[in-house]
Each structure stands twice: as C-alpha cells, then as structure tokens.
Amino acid sequence: MEYIAKEIEPKWQGLWKEIQLYKTDEDLSKPKYYALEQFPYPSGEGLHMGHMRVYSIGDVVARFRRMNGYRVLHPMGADAFGLPAENAAIERGVNPRELTIRNMEKIRHEQELVGVSYDWDRYLGSCLPDYYQFTQWLFLLFYEKGLAYRKKASVNWCPKCATVLANEQVEDGCCWRCDSEVTKKDLEQWFLRITDYSDRLIEGLDRLPKWPERVRTMQRNWIGKSEGTHVTFTIPELNEELVTVFTTRADTLYGVSYIVLAPEHPLVEKLITGKPQETEIQDFAQQMKKATEIERTSTDAEKTGYFTGSYAIHPLTGQQVPIWVANYVLMDYGTGAVMGVPAHDERDFSFAKKYDLPIQVVIGPVEGQLELPLEVAFTEDGVLVNSDRFDGMANRDAIKAIADHLEETSLGGSTVNYRLRDWLISRQRYWGTPIPIVYCDDCGTVPIPKEQLPVVLPEDVVFDGKRNPLTTSETFAYTACPNCGHEKARRETDTMDTFMDSSWYYLRFTDSANEMLPFDSKKANEWMGVDEYIGGIEHAVLHLLYSRFFTKVLFDAGMVDQDEPFHSLLTQGMVLKGGFKMSKSKGNGVSPLEIIDKYGADTARLFILFAAPPERDLEWSDSGVEGSYRFLNRVWRLVVQHLDLFKQELPISPELSSSAKELRRLLHATIQKVTHEIGERSHFNTAVSSIMELVNGINAYPADADRVVLKESLESLVVLLAPFVPHITEELWHLIGHRDSVHLATWPKADESALVQDEVEIVVQINGKMRGKIVVPAGADRAEIEKQAMGQQAIQTWLEETVVRKVIVVPGKLINIVAN
C-alpha cells in the first residue's frame, strides 16, 4: 500500500467540503478562538510561497485549537479593490470587476488545494456590493461623529497611478504601489480624524504584550508623540499676524537668531509678494514639491534656504528675527515653522554658518566656559546664560520654567506634537468603494441615507488612464439630492482608499450574512478580539494602525466591547531562494502548485513549517522539500505495517519492559513538547522536530516489546501530525479503524506518570572531558553516583597514576572528576 498524495488529498478535500467539516462551531459552552490570516489581494498570479506559508501557519493554529476543545472561527476572503486590478483592466480594455472576480475564484481554488480549514460560508470579497455597502455605512458613521471631513490640502500625488496617497503610502518618496516619484498637489480631499486618537493608539500598544516589540515600536515612531512647547512670534509687516513654532528645547529660546518656514507654508506667499526674491522663492517652492521627504530631511542633504525679506518679533526679547524659507522644514510635521538656534543644534549651526546668521550661546557647561567663536554646536546639558531671568538654571529645568512663563504671558506654553497626520482616504480611481456623498447647490454636502446604500460602481465608464473613470459615467455623475430632491446634485467621484475595506473585515467575518448592519454587536463580541492574527511585517504601520483606529471608533460608538482588534500578532518572515525574496521577475520563484502537483500539499506544508521559526525568513531548499516527502513516506510505512495492531484487542501487560517504558516516556514527552510549542510559543519547527524524534523512537522499538504501547504511540503520532499534514493523517486515521475525522479527535494529554524515569544516564567526565557514561536510579544521591562512576573499569584506567583532587556531581546530568 503506497502513499500517493495525488489520490489522497483531493479525496479528503472533497469529503471535508461535502460534510462541511470546518463550518464554524457556534457552541457557546466552549471557549472561543479566532484565528485569522490577512486576506490576500487577488492578483492574476495566484498563490505564491509567502501565501502558502501564512496559510499553513494559520491552519495549524486553527486545527490545534479545535482539537483542544475550542469553538474556532477561521475565515477567509479577498482584499479585492485597488490600483493593480484597475491598471490591468486599462491595459486589457475590460472592467476590473471581471478580472478581480476571476482571480478571486482562482485563489480560492488554490487555497482549497492547500487543505486549509476555512469556513467558506463566511467568505467575503471587499469589491462585492454586499460588503462595500457597509464600508460606506461605516464612512457615514465617521461622518456623523465628526471624524470624516473634506478640505483642500497639499497632498501626495502619484503621476503614474493618477491618484493621491496617504502619508503612510509614500515610501522613501515613492508610491508604495508602483515606485513612481511622488509630488505634491492641492486638491479637495476626504480625511478621517485619526489624530483625535493619537494618545489612545499609543496607550493601547502597552496592552498588547503578544505583539512583536518591533511592530509596536514602528507604530509608536509613526505616531511620533513629542512633548514640547509652542512659541508665538508676531509679524508686524502682516498686521501683527502670528506664526507659531513647536520646539522640544524651550531652554534655547533666547538663542533664536532666525525662523524657518516650510516652502509650502501659507505665510510664505504673503511675505514675498512684491519683493525682489518673490520669483526665486516661488521657483524654490515648486522644486520642493517634487523633492522627497528623505531628500529634504536627510542629515547628509545640503540645507538650502532663502531670506524672505521679512522679520518676526521674538516673544521674550522683542528683537527682530529674520524669517527664512528652507528645504529641511516640512509643512506636514509640527507647525511648518521652526526656530533656528545655531549655537545648540547641529543642523541650525550648519545653516547659520552657510548664510552668515548670528550664533548666540545661551547654554554653557556647568564648569568652565565655552571657547568662542564656536567651532561646533554645543548640544550637551548645562546651565543657561544670556537668558535674562533664567540665567544659571539647569537647562532641563529651564524647559518647563520657560514654557510656564510663555503660558502666563499668553505667548505660548507646553504642548504635545504628533508626527501622525489625519488619514487621507480620497482616491481618484474607479476600482474602490464609492464615497456616499452628493453635493447639492441648495443643501451643500449631503450624505446618502444608510437605507439607500450601497452606492454601486457604474458600468458605463471609460478607462483611458488619463482621468478618474468615475467622472466619465453619465449615469453616476449626477443624481437627485437625498435632502431636497434637486435633480442635478453631483456625486462624489472619488473612491475610498482600499485600506478602508481592510480596516474592519475581521468584524464582518463574525456576522458575514447580516443584510442590515455591518455586523451584530452581540455576535462580534462573542468572537472579538482576534486571538491570533497572522501576516506580514509590511503592514505594521498601514493596515494595523488603521484597524486599531477603526476598532476604537466602533468601541466609542458602542458597537464592540473591546478597543483593540488583535490580541496576538504573528508576523511571519519572507520565503527566500538564494538569499533573495522569491519573485518571478527575479527568476527565483517557486510555485506552490508545482510543489503540490509533484509531492502533495502535505509535503509543502511540512517543509514550510519545519524549515524555520515563523518569524524568521525561510530559505527555500529543494532537498528540504524532498526530505519532508521522505519523512511522510516513512510515517506512512510505519503505520501501515502495523495495521494489524488496530484490528484486535491487545492484552495489557501487568509490568512494562524497560523499552516499553522508554517509548511511552518519549511519547508523552513529545505530547508535552508539541502542545507547548504550538499553543504557547508558535514554534512549529521545533514541534515537528519533536515528532520526528518520536518517529525514530517508534522505528527503533523492539519487535517483541509491548504491543499496547506501540499502538498508543502510533495512534498518538497520527493525531500530533494532523494540524501540520491534514490529508495523510486523515487517511491513516481511517486506515487504523476510525470513522470520524482525525480533525475532530481530542488532542492527547501528557501523562505525567509516564514522564517519570526509573533510571537516568549520567555522563562521566575527567577534567572536563567525557570518558564514559553510567546508568543510575533516577533518585540516586551524590554518593551513589560517585561510587558507581569510580567503580567503572574504564574510569579506573583513566585515573591510573593520578590523584583525585575533587569530584563534582550534577545529579541527573553529569559527574566531573578533577585529577592530576
């Protein structure tokens, strides 16, 4: 009887589907477990090895929890809106819906070939109206709460994709999708007030101990909370108009010798109008719109600036301070204005030296004096000088003292600044969720009533790559105003950022058939939060931050009773080949379907789970795949050759032999190890390694030894392997006589009594070098261990002509004899 994966796997996949083996258990008497892998984008390329890895990991988790008595929610869907489908549709002259639905079906079929235990009844696609109507519903909730708003803003523009991007979607100055250089453009856009939740998003990270610290740090850094001081300068030239700067170093305020504005700052145009440098600075501002953030803020980048010809008044000294425009100040961060303190900031020092600006020392060392003129900025702690009433104060104390003084005089005060900006969700593309807003000449901005959702994407659009296709639809562009009935109200033609769709899908899975609401709160609360969320580190800022924001808003709205969506986060590493990420374009891709066709899904799963811990990158190895296949064949033969054991009642021996005791000890040690590695550590590679050791132990078991122990070991082996390789274990489970699925079997529990050893092997060392081994009773004391070791003929030979100086005994492990 051979192991033929091509026959076994489709047989069981078909039967599982027929009997709905993986339909979600709704028995509320059981503890719940929500296992979720990030849903894929349905590209035409289908599954790649990265997908295979994440689905295999998630499936082990789900199967293990079911076998341990949990009711498990393990759903799947497709993150189906987005630019790639629209761009492909433009190239092929078809609607992206056609491509996307076809790709969704393809990926779903390939996921089924992997043997993943999803509840397919809960499948969702974010591009389907029955899903995106509730993305629109949630947008309206944000709008009602004052968290969605529209304004004209300077936004990130990708010329190739012809759409705007959120700050988080600009990577090193380039579009996250196509790598085109991003520029700035002024447009009316929709935003969500994620900044209202900045502090809560930071605080919540402290309640997520099962998240990788790396991810939590990335989110903290992106939110970028800075405690500091805002300082108000007046500009006499503009009728005492104010300009506010933010600083974390209020202790240096008396050393300000200039102010720098971002080229995009709204005051710049007012300050330069009619002046000789007007055209030069306008050209400079245009250049800066094309420059990337990295280019402008890098410590290595040359600092370039222009004097506006205008001055501000220092709030504490009353002196005039020149106002400059420079490349290193960004409108997106802080207030778009910074104060220049060249004596105590390296960047400001370089700028002042380049443009011959004053350098005023206001902090000196505690002991001694600075040598003037400064050759470099003094950035160490010290005491204030040339700072009026604050002279002599330690600079760290002066930060609060000066901030308090500014507040008392209404010239500023303590404040908190964030790097995070409101989430820009407008996209000038077709293949996304339409924003449910119309603009009426009489009523203004009018939300579509929720009972009229969904606002469906039209079919009569033109894909020419030059404009937003929705603006070409005659049936979509105009509609009746929901408020007054005006026939020529204009629809919003922007669609939503696709991260809107993926920011709440985990909640829809809890109640995917609901036709009235995004989800029923009771059902959501029965399952949330997600107990194990599995996906790539690349979503650490974008998707995970937005999902946390959504959940907090829904918590405030009383729709869920938890404000964090994911209890535990497992970020798996990449799959590499030859040291590089697998990619068809690099010529190092390996298709999961090729491996499944040649060896079977179980082999592919086993290799992926065994080759590396999940959080590490995995180096692909053809020989490793073949080794996994050989191991499964070995397991197959081991069980099949002992099928007779399961066809008879075996007598129980009153006393187990030493070999039977040892196999039983190994079996229950393996059960203990595998249970811990899957359930507590998510270290699937070490769990598989332990099972392999068990197989070795069973193989070495004497033919005449206790058959009951052998039968117990073989049966438990099949169960322990079931989460990893579901098809072969299902076949073996039925071959040994079971009628129900192995995936409904109860997970074995380690017998503590079996783990107790009667005898232990002790290493005998002489001067730290191993010279032999002895077997002693498990409870042997030091004297007994020393006596038995010294009595060994081989040890006596080694000790001839030496004097034993000391004997060190580590009970249960080793004895070291020190002699010379």
Side-chain angles (χ1 to χ4, degrees), residues 658-673:
S658 60
S659 56
K661 285 182 179 179
E662 176 52 30
L663 178 57
R664 198 159 187 276
R665 185 202 64 77
L666 176 60
L667 168 63
H668 287 275
T670 303
I671 292 171
Q672 186 179 66
K673 174 79 169 176

PDB file of all heavy atoms in Angstrom, residues 658-673:
ATOM      1  N   SER A 658      11.527  -2.313  30.039  1.00  0.00           N
ATOM      2  CA  SER A 658      12.267  -1.051  30.016  1.00  0.00           C
ATOM      3  C   SER A 658      12.110  -0.349  28.673  1.00  0.00           C
ATOM      4  O   SER A 658      11.985   0.884  28.610  1.00  0.00           O
ATOM      5  CB  SER A 658      13.749  -1.301  30.307  1.00  0.00           C
ATOM      6  OG  SER A 658      14.307  -2.175  29.338  1.00  0.00           O
ATOM      7  N   SER A 659      12.095  -1.099  27.555  1.00  0.00           N
ATOM      8  CA  SER A 659      11.937  -0.472  26.241  1.00  0.00           C
ATOM      9  C   SER A 659      10.536   0.115  26.085  1.00  0.00           C
ATOM     10  O   SER A 659      10.353   1.194  25.489  1.00  0.00           O
ATOM     11  CB  SER A 659      12.221  -1.477  25.127  1.00  0.00           C
ATOM     12  OG  SER A 659      11.396  -2.621  25.258  1.00  0.00           O
ATOM     13  N   ALA A 660       9.519  -0.559  26.636  1.00  0.00           N
ATOM     14  CA  ALA A 660       8.148  -0.050  26.578  1.00  0.00           C
ATOM     15  C   ALA A 660       8.014   1.223  27.416  1.00  0.00           C
ATOM     16  O   ALA A 660       7.363   2.189  27.010  1.00  0.00           O
ATOM     17  CB  ALA A 660       7.163  -1.104  27.060  1.00  0.00           C
ATOM     18  N   LYS A 661       8.640   1.208  28.595  1.00  0.00           N
ATOM     19  CA  LYS A 661       8.618   2.406  29.446  1.00  0.00           C
ATOM     20  C   LYS A 661       9.292   3.583  28.736  1.00  0.00           C
ATOM     21  O   LYS A 661       8.820   4.718  28.797  1.00  0.00           O
ATOM     22  CB  LYS A 661       9.319   2.127  30.773  1.00  0.00           C
ATOM     23  CG  LYS A 661       8.520   1.279  31.745  1.00  0.00           C
ATOM     24  CD  LYS A 661       9.285   1.106  33.053  1.00  0.00           C
ATOM     25  CE  LYS A 661       8.507   0.277  34.066  1.00  0.00           C
ATOM     26  NZ  LYS A 661       9.283   0.092  35.321  1.00  0.00           N
ATOM     27  N   GLU A 662      10.410   3.291  28.056  1.00  0.00           N
ATOM     28  CA  GLU A 662      11.150   4.356  27.384  1.00  0.00           C
ATOM     29  C   GLU A 662      10.346   4.935  26.230  1.00  0.00           C
ATOM     30  O   GLU A 662      10.301   6.152  26.032  1.00  0.00           O
ATOM     31  CB  GLU A 662      12.501   3.841  26.879  1.00  0.00           C
ATOM     32  CG  GLU A 662      13.319   4.858  26.084  1.00  0.00           C
ATOM     33  CD  GLU A 662      13.515   6.189  26.795  1.00  0.00           C
ATOM     34  OE1 GLU A 662      13.551   6.217  28.050  1.00  0.00           O
ATOM     35  OE2 GLU A 662      13.635   7.218  26.104  1.00  0.00           O
ATOM     36  N   LEU A 663       9.681   4.081  25.424  1.00  0.00           N
ATOM     37  CA  LEU A 663       8.866   4.588  24.313  1.00  0.00           C
ATOM     38  C   LEU A 663       7.692   5.399  24.854  1.00  0.00           C
ATOM     39  O   LEU A 663       7.355   6.455  24.309  1.00  0.00           O
ATOM     40  CB  LEU A 663       8.359   3.445  23.444  1.00  0.00           C
ATOM     41  CG  LEU A 663       7.445   3.872  22.277  1.00  0.00           C
ATOM     42  CD1 LEU A 663       8.157   4.884  21.370  1.00  0.00           C
ATOM     43  CD2 LEU A 663       6.981   2.663  21.472  1.00  0.00           C
ATOM     44  N   ARG A 664       7.090   4.905  25.923  1.00  0.00           N
ATOM     45  CA  ARG A 664       5.949   5.643  26.485  1.00  0.00           C
ATOM     46  C   ARG A 664       6.402   6.988  27.057  1.00  0.00           C
ATOM     47  O   ARG A 664       5.701   7.998  26.941  1.00  0.00           O
ATOM     48  CB  ARG A 664       5.271   4.792  27.566  1.00  0.00           C
ATOM     49  CG  ARG A 664       3.874   5.264  27.880  1.00  0.00           C
ATOM     50  CD  ARG A 664       3.009   4.209  28.537  1.00  0.00           C
ATOM     51  NE  ARG A 664       1.655   4.707  28.645  1.00  0.00           N
ATOM     52  CZ  ARG A 664       1.226   5.490  29.644  1.00  0.00           C
ATOM     53  NH1 ARG A 664       2.047   5.803  30.623  1.00  0.00           N
ATOM     54  NH2 ARG A 664      -0.012   5.928  29.652  1.00  0.00           N
ATOM     55  N   ARG A 665       7.588   6.980  27.672  1.00  0.00           N
ATOM     56  CA  ARG A 665       8.139   8.257  28.171  1.00  0.00           C
ATOM     57  C   ARG A 665       8.382   9.221  27.006  1.00  0.00           C
ATOM     58  O   ARG A 665       8.041  10.403  27.066  1.00  0.00           O
ATOM     59  CB  ARG A 665       9.446   8.005  28.918  1.00  0.00           C
ATOM     60  CG  ARG A 665      10.023   9.279  29.582  1.00  0.00           C
ATOM     61  CD  ARG A 665      11.495   9.155  29.845  1.00  0.00           C
ATOM     62  NE  ARG A 665      12.249   9.042  28.606  1.00  0.00           N
ATOM     63  CZ  ARG A 665      12.521  10.072  27.807  1.00  0.00           C
ATOM     64  NH1 ARG A 665      12.063  11.282  28.096  1.00  0.00           N
ATOM     65  NH2 ARG A 665      13.213   9.883  26.699  1.00  0.00           N
ATOM     66  N   LEU A 666       8.968   8.707  25.909  1.00  0.00           N
ATOM     67  CA  LEU A 666       9.223   9.535  24.737  1.00  0.00           C
ATOM     68  C   LEU A 666       7.920  10.062  24.148  1.00  0.00           C
ATOM     69  O   LEU A 666       7.832  11.248  23.770  1.00  0.00           O
ATOM     70  CB  LEU A 666       9.991   8.724  23.686  1.00  0.00           C
ATOM     71  CG  LEU A 666      10.252   9.420  22.337  1.00  0.00           C
ATOM     72  CD1 LEU A 666      11.074  10.678  22.519  1.00  0.00           C
ATOM     73  CD2 LEU A 666      10.933   8.462  21.371  1.00  0.00           C
ATOM     74  N   LEU A 667       6.903   9.209  24.065  1.00  0.00           N
ATOM     75  CA  LEU A 667       5.616   9.625  23.516  1.00  0.00           C
ATOM     76  C   LEU A 667       5.037  10.787  24.311  1.00  0.00           C
ATOM     77  O   LEU A 667       4.634  11.810  23.738  1.00  0.00           O
ATOM     78  CB  LEU A 667       4.643   8.446  23.518  1.00  0.00           C
ATOM     79  CG  LEU A 667       3.163   8.797  23.236  1.00  0.00           C
ATOM     80  CD1 LEU A 667       3.005   9.383  21.850  1.00  0.00           C
ATOM     81  CD2 LEU A 667       2.272   7.571  23.423  1.00  0.00           C
ATOM     82  N   HIS A 668       4.992  10.647  25.625  1.00  0.00           N
ATOM     83  CA  HIS A 668       4.337  11.682  26.427  1.00  0.00           C
ATOM     84  C   HIS A 668       5.202  12.934  26.579  1.00  0.00           C
ATOM     85  O   HIS A 668       4.670  14.035  26.741  1.00  0.00           O
ATOM     86  CB  HIS A 668       3.901  11.101  27.767  1.00  0.00           C
ATOM     87  CG  HIS A 668       2.722  10.179  27.618  1.00  0.00           C
ATOM     88  ND1 HIS A 668       1.433  10.624  27.597  1.00  0.00           N
ATOM     89  CD2 HIS A 668       2.663   8.824  27.411  1.00  0.00           C
ATOM     90  CE1 HIS A 668       0.613   9.603  27.410  1.00  0.00           C
ATOM     91  NE2 HIS A 668       1.334   8.495  27.296  1.00  0.00           N
ATOM     92  N   ALA A 669       6.506  12.768  26.467  1.00  0.00           N
ATOM     93  CA  ALA A 669       7.379  13.949  26.413  1.00  0.00           C
ATOM     94  C   ALA A 669       7.127  14.703  25.107  1.00  0.00           C
ATOM     95  O   ALA A 669       7.130  15.945  25.077  1.00  0.00           O
ATOM     96  CB  ALA A 669       8.844  13.530  26.512  1.00  0.00           C
ATOM     97  N   THR A 670       6.893  13.969  24.020  1.00  0.00           N
ATOM     98  CA  THR A 670       6.597  14.594  22.731  1.00  0.00           C
ATOM     99  C   THR A 670       5.258  15.316  22.776  1.00  0.00           C
ATOM    100  O   THR A 670       5.125  16.444  22.282  1.00  0.00           O
ATOM    101  CB  THR A 670       6.584  13.527  21.616  1.00  0.00           C
ATOM    102  OG1 THR A 670       7.839  12.843  21.601  1.00  0.00           O
ATOM    103  CG2 THR A 670       6.336  14.180  20.260  1.00  0.00           C
ATOM    104  N   ILE A 671       4.259  14.677  23.360  1.00  0.00           N
ATOM    105  CA  ILE A 671       2.944  15.322  23.501  1.00  0.00           C
ATOM    106  C   ILE A 671       3.094  16.635  24.267  1.00  0.00           C
ATOM    107  O   ILE A 671       2.555  17.681  23.880  1.00  0.00           O
ATOM    108  CB  ILE A 671       1.947  14.385  24.215  1.00  0.00           C
ATOM    109  CG1 ILE A 671       1.615  13.180  23.330  1.00  0.00           C
ATOM    110  CG2 ILE A 671       0.669  15.141  24.603  1.00  0.00           C
ATOM    111  CD1 ILE A 671       0.820  12.089  24.034  1.00  0.00           C
ATOM    112  N   GLN A 672       3.823  16.592  25.360  1.00  0.00           N
ATOM    113  CA  GLN A 672       4.037  17.779  26.180  1.00  0.00           C
ATOM    114  C   GLN A 672       4.750  18.873  25.388  1.00  0.00           C
ATOM    115  O   GLN A 672       4.364  20.050  25.417  1.00  0.00           O
ATOM    116  CB  GLN A 672       4.851  17.400  27.417  1.00  0.00           C
ATOM    117  CG  GLN A 672       5.015  18.518  28.437  1.00  0.00           C
ATOM    118  CD  GLN A 672       5.819  18.029  29.640  1.00  0.00           C
ATOM    119  OE1 GLN A 672       7.002  17.713  29.518  1.00  0.00           O
ATOM    120  NE2 GLN A 672       5.170  17.970  30.792  1.00  0.00           N
ATOM    121  N   LYS A 673       5.796  18.482  24.653  1.00  0.00           N
ATOM    122  CA  LYS A 673       6.594  19.436  23.885  1.00  0.00           C
ATOM    123  C   LYS A 673       5.784  20.060  22.753  1.00  0.00           C
ATOM    124  O   LYS A 673       5.765  21.283  22.575  1.00  0.00           O
ATOM    125  CB  LYS A 673       7.817  18.714  23.319  1.00  0.00           C
ATOM    126  CG  LYS A 673       8.685  19.540  22.376  1.00  0.00           C
ATOM    127  CD  LYS A 673       9.580  20.479  23.117  1.00  0.00           C
ATOM    128  CE  LYS A 673      10.611  21.098  22.177  1.00  0.00           C
ATOM    129  NZ  LYS A 673      11.454  22.095  22.866  1.00  0.00           N
TER     130      LYS A 673
END
